[in-house]
Amino acid sequence: MQKEHDVAIVGAGNIGQALAVRLVTCGANVTLTVRSEMARERLLAHPTLVSTNIEVGNEAAKDASITILAVKPVNLPEIYADLGGKMSQNCLVISVVAGASVSALATGLDFQQVVRAMPNLASEFGESVTVWYGHDEIGDRMDQIVAFLSQLGKEFRADKEKDVDFATALFGSGPAFVYYFMEAMVEGGMLIGFPKNRLRELMVQMVRGAVVSAEQRPNEHLAQLRDDISSTGGTTVEGIRVLDKYCVRAAIKEVIAATAEKALHLMNGKK
């Protein structure tokens, strides 16, 4: 009989590695499965994963209590070939594969205990937003799912599966858009001559402070938080005027819409 693993993570790209680091930090018995010895060596170089069981091939995923699918969509046929009809009935499969529906996963794996989730890379630090969806078959495992995903940060069960695709745009890709804005602000600071040696550090602290302020005032509209900084005729108002001049708000809305549309196309098998 094979050794039972608490958690098996199939795929060790950015999100797979982030999940592994977090779960190992939380004390889980994690096995990572990879496609090559080179990938195995790369992961073993990570200080948190140096003692983690990392295997070439997907055998460990069959008998884990929880198996996380963290591969690229193009690699799913290979996963179905390896694992289809071979999952332990006690297993719970959590897929973070972009665009792969619960029904498609259940069919490909010949297995019904499947949940689809969308965490982000902040899961490595327990600060993710994870929106998830599962069919009624997982009802008796609700507490297990919530407890597991709560290790990654805040979890939210979606009523409709397409909300997971929308979450991809808002919370999966969202951090990249925040970094994009931060990057532009750092460049702006350099352009006006602010000392650049600590500019990134100070920008991160500024964003952290803004987030904490919003957390501490949960009942206030974000527009009110913005208005509190915006004195009539002052510097902030001038900056907002320029943002409005270049239709930044409209551009951000378009970014979210385009990202969500792409996620829906992936779920429907389109590129």
Side-chain angles (χ1 to χ4, degrees):
M1 179 179 294
Q2 293 180 343
K3 177 184 177 183
E4 182 175 336
H5 308 272
D6 290 340
V7 181
I9 301 176
V10 180
N14 290 339
I15 189 65
Q17 179 173 308
L19 295 172
V21 169
R22 178 58 182 173
L23 294 171
V24 168
T25 302
C26 289
N29 176 23
V30 175
T31 295
L32 272 162
T33 74
V34 296
R35 303 178 73 189
S36 69
E37 187 64 31
M38 182 181 298
R40 180 177 181 275
E41 294 298 325
R42 174 180 61 81
L43 290 166
L44 285 173
H46 192 290
T48 303
L49 303 178
V50 66
S51 299
T52 301
N53 186 34
I54 303 174
E55 301 180 2
V56 177
N58 298 319
E59 197 68 22
K62 300 175 184 177
D63 298 307
S65 298
I66 296 177
T67 291
I68 301 175
L69 301 183
V71 301
K72 296 179 180 178
V74 69
N75 294 327
L76 275 176
E78 176 185 335
I79 301 304
Y80 295 155
D82 286 350
L83 303 179
K86 303 172 186 176
M87 303 298 297
S88 165
Q89 290 306 304
N90 294 322
C91 183
L92 172 69
V93 174
I94 299 177
S95 171
V96 301
V97 181
S101 70
V102 169
S103 294
L105 291 160
T107 299
L109 294 170
D110 190 20
F111 188 72
Q112 297 303 311
Q113 298 291 303
V114 178
V115 169
R116 185 178 170 207
M118 178 49 61
N120 60 41
L121 290 179
S123 56
E124 180 174 347
F125 312 105
E127 295 291 347
S128 178
V129 173
T130 303
V131 177
W132 62 278
Y133 173 83
H135 288 165
D136 292 340
E137 288 84 353
I138 53 87
D140 60 346
R141 307 191 76 163
M142 185 76 68
D143 291 345
Q144 180 189 16
I145 296 167
V146 170
F148 182 78
L149 294 179
S150 292
Q151 297 177 94
L152 310 180
K154 292 187 182 294
E155 60 78 31
F156 174 79
R157 185 186 184 187
D159 293 329
K160 302 183 292 292
E161 185 167 8
K162 68 178 181 180
D163 288 342
V164 179
D165 296 296
F166 296 154
T168 302
L170 288 165
F171 312 120
S173 300
F177 307 146
V178 174
Y179 298 146
Y180 185 97
F181 202 87
M182 292 172 67
E183 182 184 4
M185 292 188 70
V186 167
E187 291 172 352
M190 294 171 61
L191 186 64
I192 63 176
F194 192 91
K196 64 180 181 180
N197 59 326
R198 295 188 64 190
L199 189 50
R200 182 190 185 278
E201 173 191 351
L202 296 174
M203 186 61 61
V204 170
Q205 178 57 41
M206 184 273 292
V207 173
R208 180 182 292 114
V211 169
V212 170
S213 295
E215 287 181 333
Q216 294 299 315
R217 299 160 67 181
N219 297 321
E220 291 193 31
H221 196 284
L222 293 174
Q224 181 60 53
L225 298 178
R226 172 170 55 81
D227 287 345
D228 288 347
I229 310 171
S230 306
S231 301
T232 303
T235 57
T236 305
V237 168
E238 180 63 17
I240 296 295
R241 181 191 67 78
V242 175
L243 289 172
D244 289 342
K245 174 183 176 182
Y246 289 98
C247 301
V248 172
R249 182 187 296 266
I252 292 171
K253 292 178 181 178
E254 187 63 28
V255 164
I256 299 302
T259 309
E261 183 177 5
K262 179 67 174 181
L264 289 171
H265 282 179
L266 288 173
M267 189 176 74
N268 292 326
K270 301 176 182 178
K271 295 183 178 180

